[in-house]
Amino acid sequence: MLTRIALASLWLLHFLPRSVLSRVGALAGTLLMVLAAERRKVVRVNLELCFPELSQAERNRLAKAHFRAFGRALAETTIAWWSGAGRVRKLATIEGKQHFDLASRAGPVIVLAPHFVGVEILAIRLSIEEDAQSMYSHQKNAVFDRFLVSRRTRFRPIRLASRQDGIKRVIRGLKARLPLFFLPDMDFGARDAIFVPFFGVPAATIDAVPRLAKLTRARVVPVVIEQKRAGESYAIRFLPAWENFPGDDFRADTERMNQFIEQCARAMPEQYYWVHKRFKTRPPGEKRFY
């Protein structure tokens, strides 16, 4: 019941003008920082690990900016969830799509999307333009799980492959030239992961991207989404396909991937998904951070 009430409240938000919705979201993010003690701690620990060169005051300002960006993105995601295709197109513009198109003509494509606050907007906006498949983790809450699936497939029948069901279906899709939308920077535990540096800290990282690229001869095309100033469209940017990827060493390939994500996060640090326990899984013998 609480989930349905929360979703109904979010549904009401999508009727607001963008200028108002942005301010409401930023305010909600500030309130979340005050009330959500556990997530506030996660952000604090992440920033301490990743930006030790900053002073405590600087990290505090970054944390506040992150929660504002996070809250605003959630509020504006209601447009992607419920508004028509025309308004969703205005919500986020697409740049550099020629890089994706060029790679698609050559063979299978893995679209690598680092986890920034606007990533849900990114996925739904791209679903208007292209058929695709995506890895999907079932949510513990059944109502919210059904809701997310319905939102992510409302413009096209995007194929959602459950992480719990394995990878074979994804491989078949790639070989059939169905692009794979892949978020590579979440901590799903030690299974199928290796520890490679992220901001200099060992992070459990799934090495599926180079393995899938090797197996299916897919090109890896990065895409990032930037939250612009309030009232402006989000900017979705495709970048050129990576050259010489994968190589002969999956660990080196995965390190290269993390270096790229770190570079993107340093460019807009308030927008990276710091509320996630990115360093939850530790190498044997290491203490927990959270």
Side-chain angles (χ1 to χ4, degrees):
M1 179 61 73
L2 290 177
T3 302
R4 297 182 190 278
I5 293 173
L7 291 175
S9 300
L10 289 172
W11 173 75
L12 290 172
L13 287 180
H14 94 280
F15 291 108
L16 295 174
R18 276 285 307 282
S19 57
V20 177
L21 191 59
S22 297
R23 291 195 294 269
V24 169
L27 180 61
T30 300
L31 184 62
L32 178 66
M33 182 177 180
V34 174
L35 299 178
E38 181 182 356
R39 288 299 131 182
R40 186 172 68 245
K41 178 183 177 182
V42 170
V43 172
R44 175 182 60 79
V45 170
N46 284 338
L47 296 182
E48 287 175 352
L49 290 170
C50 296
F51 297 98
E53 72 278 10
L54 297 183
S55 68
Q56 186 62 55
E58 289 171 325
R59 287 196 293 269
N60 287 342
R61 285 195 293 271
L62 180 53
K64 292 177 183 178
H66 171 66
F67 274 100
R68 288 196 298 271
F70 178 82
R72 180 186 152 194
L74 176 59
E76 291 173 326
T77 296
T78 63
I79 296 174
W81 281 342
W82 284 292
S83 290
R87 193 180 183 204
V88 177
R89 285 193 174 98
K90 292 179 181 178
L91 176 64
T93 60
I94 299 175
E95 305 168 11
K97 191 171 180 291
Q98 70 272 14
H99 300 304
F100 171 84
D101 294 337
L102 181 63
S104 295
R105 288 195 292 269
V109 174
I110 297 172
V111 178
L112 186 139
H115 226 108
F116 286 90
V117 292
V119 73
E120 184 78 5
I121 294 171
L122 165 66
I124 295 175
R125 174 65 181 87
L126 293 182
S127 75
I128 298 176
E129 310 299 329
E130 297 287 343
D131 291 325
Q133 59 178 330
S134 178
M135 298 296 293
Y136 176 72
S137 294
H138 284 296
Q139 306 298 306
K140 293 180 180 178
N141 184 300
V143 173
F144 189 55
D145 186 76
R146 290 193 297 272
F147 168 78
L148 281 182
V149 170
S150 70
R151 297 303 87 192
R152 293 172 182 178
T153 58
R154 73 191 190 96
F155 290 116
R156 286 177 186 265
I158 301 299
R159 181 187 295 179
L160 298 178
S162 169
R163 294 184 183 277
Q164 292 84 352
D165 294 337
I167 204 75
K168 290 183 179 179
R169 189 182 183 198
V170 170
I171 294 172
R172 289 195 297 269
L174 278 171
K175 289 184 175 180
R177 300 244 182 142
L178 186 64
L180 172 64
F181 183 82
F182 197 93
L183 280 69
D185 50 349
M186 303 293 282
D187 187 333
F188 292 109
R191 181 183 175 185
D192 300 325
I194 58 176
F195 287 96
V196 294
F198 183 58
F199 281 86
V201 182
T205 307
I206 295 175
D207 61 353
V209 172
R211 291 185 181 278
L212 286 171
K214 187 82 167 182
L215 184 62
T216 64
R217 298 184 179 180
R219 303 294 303 278
V220 174
V221 178
V223 65
V224 295
I225 182 166
E226 179 183 1
Q227 184 184 80
K228 309 293 278 188
R229 290 183 299 180
E232 294 184 358
S233 299
Y234 284 72
I236 296 172
R237 299 188 182 95
F238 282 97
L239 303 176
W242 284 347
E243 297 294 337
N244 305 313
F245 188 95
D248 298 325
D249 185 341
F250 289 148
R251 175 175 291 276
D253 293 331
T254 307
E255 288 181 0
R256 176 180 171 183
M257 182 183 73
N258 273 8
Q259 288 168 2
F260 166 78
I261 297 169
E262 178 180 335
Q263 180 183 9
C264 293
R266 287 187 181 278
M268 39 185 180
E270 77 286 355
Q271 297 185 38
Y272 191 65
Y273 202 68
W274 299 115
V275 293
H276 172 61
K277 295 181 180 180
R278 183 63 187 91
F279 306 103
K280 176 178 62 177
T281 305
R282 308 310 309 138
E286 279 201 13
K287 68 175 183 179
R288 294 179 176 270
F289 291 129
Y290 307 106

